[in-house]
Structures are given as C-alpha cells and as structure tokens.
Amino acid sequence: SEADLPFLQAHVQRNPSDQRALELVADQLARRNDTSEAALAIYKSAAAQSPNRARFLRMIGRAETTRGNWSTVIEIFNALRSDGEETEEVILPLAVAYAEFGRSDMDAIKVYRRALELGTLKPEIHDLYCRHLYMREKSLPASGAQFKATLEVMPKCQWARLGSINHLVESGDS
C-alpha cells in the first residue's frame, strides 16, 4: 500500500538484491507517475530482472522524453522495440528523438514511416521522411501519395512540395 512505501524504500536501500521489494517500490512509484531521479533509478534497477521490464522502461522513456535526453530516449525505446513493442507509445517518442539528431539511416526511416502511419503531426518527422523519399524514391507512386498526404497536414513541408512537383511532372497527373 501507499503507506508502506517509505518502509519498502528503506528496505530496498538496505537490501538492493531483494527483487520482489524493488518491484513493489517501482510499482508504487509507477502508479503515482513518479518521474523523479530517485524513481528513475528504482525503475532502472527493477527493469533489469523484472517481468514488468517494459512498464518500467516506458516510465523511464517518458521522463527522459520530457527532459529532452534524446540519446537515452533512443536507448530506452529501442530496447522496447527489440522486446517486440511497436506501439504508438514507443514509436512516436523514438521518432522525435531520431529527428532531434536529424537521423536518416534506414532504421530511422522505418520509425518515421511508422510514426506517420500512426498520425504524427511533428513537422520534423514529415520533413525528414519526405526528404528521404525525395532523395531516394521520388518516382515511386507510394512516394507521390506520401508527399500529397504530408502536404494536407504540413503544407509548408518543402520536401513534400518538391516531391509533389516532381511527381506531377513525371507522371503528368494533376
């Protein structure tokens, strides 16, 4: 219970190898949505061996996203992806973190594509993805459709504008 939390926290400090107590503390803190430095340290310790690893990593990831610690965000959400988590809660902050670094490698492109499928309205993600399409796949029909879709929600996206113009010129469509 909430009243037992201080006792459990003290117990965990004295007995850091007590995984069950560590998880109980982490669960209580997660229920509170506690993202203090102390809570993040507990989530990290608990995540190492817990069946609730994903929950604790998501708590860390949300906190680091809020703080703008993009390298840590990438590390955390990629760990969740490698565990099979491809949800909106994982993909969208990962896409933002990749965009913060201007990443354009194929892993980032896959994440941007997925974020767009999930409906992100982050201009930098649209810009980086449309740039990739323009530089590498501008003649493909799917690229033309993406340029058009991006312009509907991001009319100032220069790469989508260039791609749409190129697509119209090459295809003769109007």
Side-chain angles (χ1 to χ4, degrees), residues 156-170:
K156 294 183 180 181
C157 180
Q158 295 298 318
W159 290 106
R161 284 181 178 187
L162 286 171
S164 282
I165 291 167
N166 183 76
H167 184 71
L168 290 172
V169 168
E170 284 189 4

Side-chain angles (χ1 to χ4, degrees), residues 7 10 20 46 69 92-93 103 105 121 126 130 133 139 167:
F7 169 76
R20 181 66 187 131
N69 294 332
L92 295 181
R103 284 188 49 178
D105 56 272
L121 295 177
H126 281 270
C130 287
L133 293 178
S139 298
H167 184 71

Side-chain angles (χ1 to χ4, degrees), residues 2 4-15 21-22 24-26 28-29 32 34 36 38-39 42:
E2 189 73 26
D4 295 331
L5 187 57
F7 169 76
L8 279 171
Q9 286 175 307
H11 175 78
V12 166
Q13 281 185 327
R14 288 189 311 274
N15 304 289
L22 184 62
L24 287 171
V25 170
Q28 286 290 330
L29 295 172
R32 292 173 156 179
D34 189 335
S36 66
I42 289 171

Side-chain angles (χ1 to χ4, degrees), residues 37-98:
E37 291 298 324
L40 295 180
I42 289 171
Y43 299 146
K44 279 182 194 166
S45 295
Q49 298 177 18
S50 174
N52 295 321
R53 177 178 191 265
R55 178 181 185 206
F56 300 138
L57 288 178
R58 284 192 302 273
M59 289 297 296
I60 297 166
R62 280 196 298 268
E64 298 299 353
T65 299
T66 301
R67 290 178 171 104
N69 294 332
W70 303 118
S71 295
T72 304
V73 170
I74 290 169
E75 178 185 326
I76 295 295
F77 287 115
N78 270 330
L80 286 164
R81 279 179 69 214
S82 66
D83 289 348
E85 298 244 350
E86 293 276 338
T87 63
E88 184 174 336
E89 187 180 17
V90 171
I91 295 299
L92 295 181
L94 182 58
V96 170
Y98 280 169

Side-chain angles (χ1 to χ4, degrees), residues 145-158:
Q146 182 60 57
F147 295 140
K148 182 178 178 183
T150 290
L151 286 175
E152 288 174 7
V153 294
M154 300 285 154
K156 294 183 180 181
C157 180
Q158 295 298 318

